[in-house]
Amino acid sequence: MHPLRLLLEHSIDYAGLFPPAALAMRPALENYARYRSGPHAWALGRFVVPAGRLEELETAASGLLPADGQEPWRLGMLIGADPAADLRRMEELNCRHAAAGAGALVADVVELKAETAEAVEAVLGRLPRHLAAFIELPVTRDPGPALTVIARHGAGAKVRTGGVTEDAFPTTEDLLRFLRAALAAGVPFKATAGLHHPLRAEYRLTYEHDSASGTMFGFLNLFLAAAFLRQGMSDSDVRRLLEEGDSASFAFDREGVSWRGHRLDSAALAEARRSGLGSFGSCSFEEPIGDLASLRLL
């Protein structure tokens, strides 16, 4: 498998319901169905949906869901203010589709927020152990204590890497601290927001014609930084990598990827994905893929 595919396979969780795209349910589902059958389906992850909109999703998905025997659509479910009610919705959806024999929809990942280690303990203590859970932590604080709790429960962490305003983007130092702490705790992580593009640069923050612009991290920067950290890269080099905007500094070949004298082979990339480098949520699937094509990486 090509190293870029090893790094990014099933990595883009489609969050078309959320800003700045903020699509209605049916158009978002139509997009997801099209992406699943397209040439870059290998990069597509789960469909991200708030738990409170599961019934709406089932109704709007009429005629789009896979037929019997095909791979089901997998959902990443955002838990809201009433976790017990949301978990019941999730269980009911999974039971309905399992009972129908088709299994066209499977909600198998939950995501929720917690501010402190104590809050993480309380949240994870209420979740069934079989669920894959990712807890979004504040990136501006030391995540170490909360990550310790997450590790003990066998869960994952989530980091917010941007938004629709410039102040929603973390500093390089905060993001590096999160990555190193997650690695030290042995906690897998996923990212969300502000990662529509492969490389760090200034981009428009929304799709409005008068949108402001801001400096965003790239998903290649983030994923490669996490992978290189696993191989012992220094903090100073990881900072440079997270802030790298020169596409010519990255070189993918059949055996791995190089960046400014540093090298990861295919085995290291595969191990990084297996061991904790999860996915990233994006309200666009076409932008990340289009940018990769523009960089001649696809």
Side-chain angles (χ1 to χ4, degrees), residues 35-76:
Y35 303 149
R36 274 179 52 101
S37 62
H40 304 297
W42 59 268
L44 185 63
R46 290 171 171 80
F47 186 90
V48 183
V49 59
R53 299 184 68 179
L54 286 177
E55 291 185 11
E56 179 191 357
L57 182 152
E58 286 186 276
T59 301
S62 176
L64 297 175
L65 295 178
D68 290 0
Q70 295 182 332
E71 181 69 19
W73 287 14
R74 299 193 176 275
L75 307 178

Side-chain angles (χ1 to χ4, degrees), residues 29-201:
L29 292 171
E30 289 173 343
N31 284 348
Y32 190 71
R34 186 172 72 256
Y35 303 149
R36 274 179 52 101
S37 62
H40 304 297
W42 59 268
L44 185 63
R46 290 171 171 80
F47 186 90
V48 183
V49 59
R53 299 184 68 179
L54 286 177
E55 291 185 11
E56 179 191 357
L57 182 152
E58 286 186 276
T59 301
S62 176
L64 297 175
L65 295 178
D68 290 0
Q70 295 182 332
E71 181 69 19
W73 287 14
R74 299 193 176 275
L75 307 178
M77 193 180 78
L78 302 188
I79 299 290
D82 189 345
D86 286 346
L87 290 171
R88 282 196 300 273
R89 293 185 182 99
M90 178 181 184
E91 183 179 356
E92 289 166 0
L93 176 137
N94 286 335
C95 286
R96 279 194 299 274
H97 286 269
L105 287 172
V106 177
D108 57 354
V109 167
V110 296
E111 302 176 19
L112 58 167
K113 296 180 179 181
E115 295 284 323
T116 64
E118 293 75 17
V120 171
E121 185 69 63
V123 162
L124 290 176
R126 295 196 299 264
L127 294 182
R129 293 285 293 183
H130 68 273
L131 281 182
F134 287 84
I135 310 300
E136 181 178 334
L137 303 174
V139 72
T140 55
R141 302 179 194 167
D142 177 10
L147 287 167
T148 298
V149 178
I150 290 173
R152 189 169 67 248
H153 283 270
K158 178 178 171 182
V159 61
R160 186 162 295 273
T161 44
V164 296
T165 59
E166 194 166 4
D167 61 1
F169 290 80
T171 66
T172 301
E173 287 301 319
D174 284 343
L175 189 53
L176 170 57
R177 179 178 60 188
F178 174 88
L179 293 176
R180 187 163 287 290
L183 175 63
V187 169
F189 78 91
K190 66 168 297 184
T192 190
L195 291 174
H196 292 197
H197 305 280
L199 297 180
R200 182 173 170 89

Side-chain angles (χ1 to χ4, degrees), residues 199-221:
L199 297 180
R200 182 173 170 89
E202 186 170 297
Y203 302 100
R204 289 161 57 89
L205 295 173
T206 74
Y207 300 126
E208 301 298 326
H209 72 277
D210 58 349
S211 171
S213 296
T215 302
M216 301 182 181
F217 291 100
F219 58 84
L220 279 184
N221 300 82

